[in-house]
Amino acid sequence: MRILHVVLVLGLVAVGDTRVRADEGMWTFHDFPAVKVKARYGFSPDQAWLDHARLSSARIAGICSASFVSANGLVMTNHHCAHDCVAGLSTKEHDYVKDGYWAKTLDDEKKCPDMEVHRLEEITDVTDKVLKATATKMGAAYTAALREISAAIEKPCQKDGAADHRCEVVNLYHGGQFMLYRYKRYTDVRVVGAPELAMAFFGGDPDNFEFPRYDLDLSFVRVYENGKPAATPEHFGWSAGGAKENELTFVSGDPHTTEREITNAVRVFDRDVVAPVVTNTRSEWRGQLAQFMRQNDEQKRIATEWQFYNENSLKAWKGRQAALGDDVMMKSVAQAEADLRARIAGKAELVRRVGDAFEALDKALAKWRPFYHRFYFLELWPKGDLLTDAVRLVRAADEKALPDGKRLDEYRDSALPDIEQKLASSAPIYPAREKLAVAFWLGKLREELGADDPTVKALLGKETPEQVAARWVDGSKLGDTAERVRLWKGGKAAIASSKDPMIVAVKLFDAAARKVRKMNDDEVEGIEKSAGEKIAKAKFVLDGRSSYPDATFTLRLSYGSVKGYTSTAHGTKVSPITYLGGAFDRANGAPPFELPKTWLDAKAAIDPKVPFDFATTNDIIGGNSGSPIFNQKLEIVGLIFDGNIESLAGDFWYDEASNRAVGVSSEAIIQALAKIYHADRIVEELRPAKGKKQ
Amino acid sequence: MRILHVVLVLGLVAVGDTRVRADEGMWTFHDFPAVKVKARYGFSPDQAWLDHARLSSARIAGICSASFVSANGLVMTNHHCAHDCVAGLSTKEHDYVKDGYWAKTLDDEKKCPDMEVHRLEEITDVTDKVLKATATKMGAAYTAALREISAAIEKPCQKDGAADHRCEVVNLYHGGQFMLYRYKRYTDVRVVGAPELAMAFFGGDPDNFEFPRYDLDLSFVRVYENGKPAATPEHFGWSAGGAKENELTFVSGDPHTTEREITNAVRVFDRDVVAPVVTNTRSEWRGQLAQFMRQNDEQKRIATEWQFYNENSLKAWKGRQAALGDDVMMKSVAQAEADLRARIAGKAELVRRVGDAFEALDKALAKWRPFYHRFYFLELWPKGDLLTDAVRLVRAADEKALPDGKRLDEYRDSALPDIEQKLASSAPIYPAREKLAVAFWLGKLREELGADDPTVKALLGKETPEQVAARWVDGSKLGDTAERVRLWKGGKAAIASSKDPMIVAVKLFDAAARKVRKMNDDEVEGIEKSAGEKIAKAKFVLDGRSSYPDATFTLRLSYGSVKGYTSTAHGTKVSPITYLGGAFDRANGAPPFELPKTWLDAKAAIDPKVPFDFATTNDIIGGNSGSPIFNQKLEIVGLIFDGNIESLAGDFWYDEASNRAVGVSSEAIIQALAKIYHADRIVEELRPAKGKKQ
């Protein structure tokens, strides 16, 4: 996926109710509450079990979760996590997204242009080192100090050379704990198999974030080393009978971001400033893409991937907006913060330690408010593939000239191999799609910054957004991989002498973008992090480490069980499991409720009573896509691909009554592989335990 | 304009701060604060002056404000208020929207297919009659009683036959006062002249709701009676020198809706529920229309009008959303309500009178919340012209069978001539545009109500929204005026036997739509009105009638003066007047900043120092479009066409420091008519007073 992914990192401050409710929690592997699991479910994971689960888990760089499911590098994830790869392999003649793809032999496993798999191999506590370096710092100074010490810690960790490993200092509890995570990187990733999009996204956007579902959001890829399947002795087994109602289930994966422990000021900022601009802009972009896709089949093909991600993000944000629009809940979490502050006020030592952290954050956000739209459109909103690459090239040339610790986070030495891989990608560029994206961005920029803004004037001159977009896209050579690599390798000199219109364009707006980015980093995030650290430490003093940290797209483990619920949206009772037969009932022949021919043809061979999708109480969020659902024997019982609409409030709070994770059952996967796709090679490799009733 | 216009009537309850600040106020003509004007500006309007201003003012039915500017029925309004008419007269060969239209003679004044002009001729206080009928009623019972008494009062008022007059019981102060307004209806309205859209909307959406502006948002129409220009002895004069900085200015017109005196619960509901769904949906629709318009010139032509209204509404709603997202202001108005409640609690008689009004409204809104999206998409969202007419036909057939007082408001006897005029319109139907609108609506319906909703299933069956839309539009005969009139006249029997797919479609969803509409009318608006009446009366007891009522798309008068301001969005100082020469500086040759050829050709003849647009402190809101700006001599000095971005908070509160009305100067109008459009006939008819320096 080459859309710029930006995680909103606003609001990471640890306060609020510390009581963990029932199955709530996205726990770290180094602080897993085995005692709580034992108390509720009678099973206590030991260290060997936790290590095995961790090493069998995987991350699709930048976007998703995954798992190792054989000793030969076989990785299971969602279809939508490999969608970019499958789309990139497609041509006008072969649309593998539409038709699916199943490699008959190892030789048929085609390389994904820019997919990367990570495994978390080592966790080291570096809290003391970091806190020593950041002590007494606030705002910009804190951000700078944190960047420097992080770079200094990461550098020696990259001991085997940057290309094979990735080291990251991870900020947990909003500055309360810092851990060094060392990942093994697999950069040779190949497609093994994926069903038709119609099956992987059956129900489409209308059914997204809903339950009951009938969806096979599945793909298999394989990691290679030295041109051969990588050896992955640590991997999950495969359950014979799947998971039954009320059975204990675990989910490992990399939830992207939660904001459960932010201050009230940040939540109000999210509700009043962030959610409106994100949902409105993504809605408008959705409308343009929808009509673009209606124009002809080719445009439909090339824009499907963007629309999928856009609609998914939009629906997730609408869910957040609905949660933030729950004034009763908002008042309740505001009250929890008031209670915390009262408890802090009761201890002189904590008053001294926390200082004006709350007030400083209030002030920082009030000052930031009029600049947020500027920040969003100059820095966060995706501008198409070419312009995104141009930004990477121009910024990297400047940033690489700086010491590692002084750079923007995404240009630190540890991140450069990722960028290089993206720039060297052979994924195709579609000019019509690029023009649409650039014209949209320019139009929004003029609208939001105003026609009199100097940057807007410099970019548009006497042309319309559409004219400028056409000129840039038609004139750019950045669609050529070799040219991108040349500019990357040529560094500052190559960028300075480039006349490519995309590079020239970035030079016109990058100063303005950097200025507002710096304001965000120094005056907002810097305050959030330094204030967050103080509040987090006060909370540790008051409550100990009884809770889990907010999600940070790093590996977490959640526990729960297969369970139905009562829908708050419709007031209906929802059963926890759907069955294969139900897909045939729900299908109406028209997209997005159209079963592919393979399914219709195989109908007689399929057991309609085999569980298809199911819901569990596991606490997950975006980024958990592709996560394995496994049992206490470390066997796969399912594959996470969604949460229900109620789970979107999970960004801010967890409610076991209605928050549900949604996955495909291990049994449905085997049925589909064996009976529909005839992928016997994969079934054999998964080796489900004997006694199964497939 | 044939887009369904629905005013959101949520939240009409009178509470809050009663102090009127400076030039704040959309005053009724029967309660104008002449004393305040005298105190601030040294001029006191008397009754004759007020009557003349009222009778010289006009309303474009359903959408805009206007004024009579000659004795021969000449009416001045905005271009965007007559846009539908100009667009309707256009053909593939003659695009009058693009090229403008100036009738050389009376014979060239072409009839607008469905435009109607109203003049407010009589105001009668009927408060006692209404309150007697609604006393002790709450919720549904209150709504029913109000409908019945309104119908009973309106019927005898229509003394000259329904076709020539329109009588409306107007609810002011949220149930505190009821007035019977009797309008003269002019239904033969003809286009006199309109400039090019590029000039009438110079700066386009980027400049909309902004200042400085360079815009000639102007049109002239003429009302006819018996085939001849109507005699309109009461009309505004024309100022020789326009308005200078700080000069006293009046604006009369029909502001649509404000929500300044609503309870906190309603404001929170607007922020958390209404604003998100409206801005997100209009954003998405904007995106579809934008890409539809890019496809070819014909699609651009036929969708321009819809996009204009959609973008205008979207930007206004974004402004409201931003205002509601001002947490400091929200807390301040919530505090004002708390103060009012404390004052009520201090008087036993008021406690008894107000009862549980506040709590009842809180409860009603909490119950309504999960149904609002259903209501919005089934009942409020426009579904294209054909389906809108089909709803009118199906509902009117049912409603007309009921006694007047039992009908939905928009089907009462007093409103039927309007509907008949709309159905008899000869405005063209564009199938491509219709398909887009219907497919969009069906898609949203499925998304918001869910694929399992019975109404959604009935409408979509086994087809996509696009397939259904194509089938309905291609199969419908409702594009034919005669067929619509036949079904209208044929009533229930004709509707029952109609196989027209649009009529059949309405039968599939109308029961569901009526059900949620009834819930809104009875359980939300009914409670709002009955609770509002109690709170309003308590307020009258506490403060007297020191304030003006919230806007209700009925005639109001505001006073103010020409004044610059400091922009809260950019922190810049803004001068109150722009000049004709500035338009040539701002033009960059590319839409929407492209001057038409007529202007470029006439550049040498135009005096660059003549004021073009100007800003005043007059308190206006949507619906005031086309309002005259006049001086104390009752002479036109300008024409309202916009407010600045800060004025959008005017829905909820007025701030004289930054809230500005924006208009075209009378001098620019004369210059354009004389030097650019050579419309000497109109210049002569306006007869600006001698001594002018045109």
Side-chain angles (χ1 to χ4, degrees), chain A residues 16 50 122 290 531:
Chain A
L50 288 168
E122 202 181 337

Side-chain angles (χ1 to χ4, degrees), chain B residues 69-115:
Chain B
V69 288
S70 89
N72 300 311
L74 189 64
V75 171
M76 179 172 73
T77 187
N78 290 146
H79 185 277
H80 70 267
C81 301
H83 183 284
D84 185 49
C85 170
V86 179
L89 298 176
S90 299
T91 61
K92 276 189 194 178
E93 292 72 39
H94 297 283
D95 185 346
Y96 298 124
V97 174
K98 182 166 169 285
D99 300 330
Y101 183 81
W102 297 97
K104 294 277 178 219
T105 66
L106 279 182
D107 284 345
D108 297 325
E109 296 182 355
K110 301 190 183 188
K111 192 168 186 319
C112 292
D114 50 2
M115 196 169 180

